[in-house]
């Protein structure tokens, strides 16, 4: 396992995740069509040219899923009981084909689980950042994590 | 366009979206690998068998993206200025390979835009429901939508 147990987190912990990723046309097209998303900004070059972005805008649900994916290995891999929910998911800047993403995580809340004495809730703030150092996606994720097993 | 303008929504409006979709192994595998999500519950049959689910759990970020995709055609297609954000995203029941999804939407808030006189903010509650009538995903989406053009 590469994630950390509940007891191993403190509020204010921050990490930059090693895996970076350039977003490609394939990502945006496959993702939008797999999810039946018909938004022309994602699929229609001519409509995108006429928009305020002037080019294809990458599907924000892909951006979100990539941000979560890039963070899982260092945060909850092997220690997750369940993802309880996500809040305040925003896309402050657009993502374009060819942009390169990196992810950061900060712990913003900790709470013992009432129902599971062997677990606790960690609230992470995840941020996805492009090569121009703009935040392109941000959210809170509350994860129920195992406590460290008693040896 | 198939979406509705800001002025055409009222709080309490509800709709069931026509497009239904069976979730396949391909969805879960492509989606998880495209987003570098290493969670064994999504990718490792043996780990999934040993979990409380007893089988592969479909990646929740796919479930969310599918719910949004299924709703766009009837809600914001051709009338969207921007998605402002998502809140209270939860997955109350698991999704397994072979489950069939349908989506419902309800309007829970309306607010005139201060910065754009030609637009307003609609808050949708989206729900994704399986063939056993269980809600498997739910969120709030706040969308900035154009007002109906003055003829």
């Amino acid at each position: 396992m590469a994630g950390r147990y509940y007891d191993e987190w403190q509020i204010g912990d921050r990490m930059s995740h090693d895996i970076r990723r350039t977003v490609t046309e394939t990502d945006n097209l496959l993702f939008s069509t797999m999810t039946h998303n018909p938004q022309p900004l994602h699929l229609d070059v001519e409509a995108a040219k006429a928009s305020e972005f002037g080019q294809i805008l990458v599907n924000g649900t892909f951006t979100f899923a990539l941000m979560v994916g890039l963070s899982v290995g260092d945060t909850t891999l092997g220690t997750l009981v369940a993802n309880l929910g996500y809040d305040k998911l925003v896309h402050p800047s657009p993502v374009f084909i060819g942009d390169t993403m990196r992810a950061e995580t900060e712990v913003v809340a900790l709470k013992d689980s009432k129902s599971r004495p062997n677990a606790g809730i960690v609230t992470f703030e995840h941020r996805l950042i492009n090569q121009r150092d703009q935040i392109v996606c941000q959210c809170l994720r509350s994860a129920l994590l195992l406590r460290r097993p008693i040896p």
Side-chain angles (χ1 to χ4, degrees), chain A:
Chain A
M1 49 145 281
R4 290 192 207 164
Y5 291 110
Y6 174 65
D7 330 73
E8 296 173 321
W9 293 105
Q10 298 214 333
I11 291 176
D13 280 351
R14 295 181 69 161
M15 50 175 65
S16 293
H17 305 290
D18 282 345
I19 303 174
R20 289 164 42 131
R21 175 75 134 61
T22 302
V23 174
T24 70
E25 186 184 286
T26 307
D27 292 312
N28 179 63
L29 180 70
L30 269 185
F31 208 88
S32 297
T33 53
M34 280 170 69
T35 59
H36 298 267
N37 195 315
Q39 175 55 249
L41 283 172
H42 307 322
L43 296 171
D44 177 338
V45 167
E46 298 304 322
K49 273 188 202 166
S51 76
E52 62 187 88
F53 302 108
Q55 59 183 299
I56 288 282
L57 181 71
V58 170
N59 187 325
T61 64
F62 169 72
T63 305
F64 163 67
L66 179 63
M67 177 174 73
V68 172
L70 293 180
S71 76
V72 164
D74 297 329
T75 55
T76 60
L77 186 62
T79 58
L80 185 75
V81 179
N83 276 315
L84 301 184
Y86 302 84
D87 270 301
K88 300 190 192 309
L89 166 58
V90 291
H91 297 88
S93 296
V95 176
F96 300 120
I97 306 292
D99 283 356
T100 298
M101 302 292 123
R102 61 188 170 90
E104 291 179 356
T105 294
E106 183 170 347
V107 174
V108 296
L110 294 172
K111 193 177 163 192
D112 295 349
S113 170
K114 283 177 190 159
S115 57
R116 304 213 194 197
N118 68 334
I121 300 162
V122 182
T123 302
F124 299 104
E125 184 179 272
H126 298 305
R127 290 184 285 272
L128 194 71
I129 299 162
N130 68 16
Q131 73 279 13
R132 292 178 294 279
D133 292 325
Q134 297 167 314
I135 297 176
V136 296
C137 190
Q138 184 168 320
C139 82
L140 298 176
R141 170 166 68 119
S142 291
L144 185 64
L145 292 190
L146 291 172
R147 284 178 178 275
R148 196 189 297 111
I150 294 160

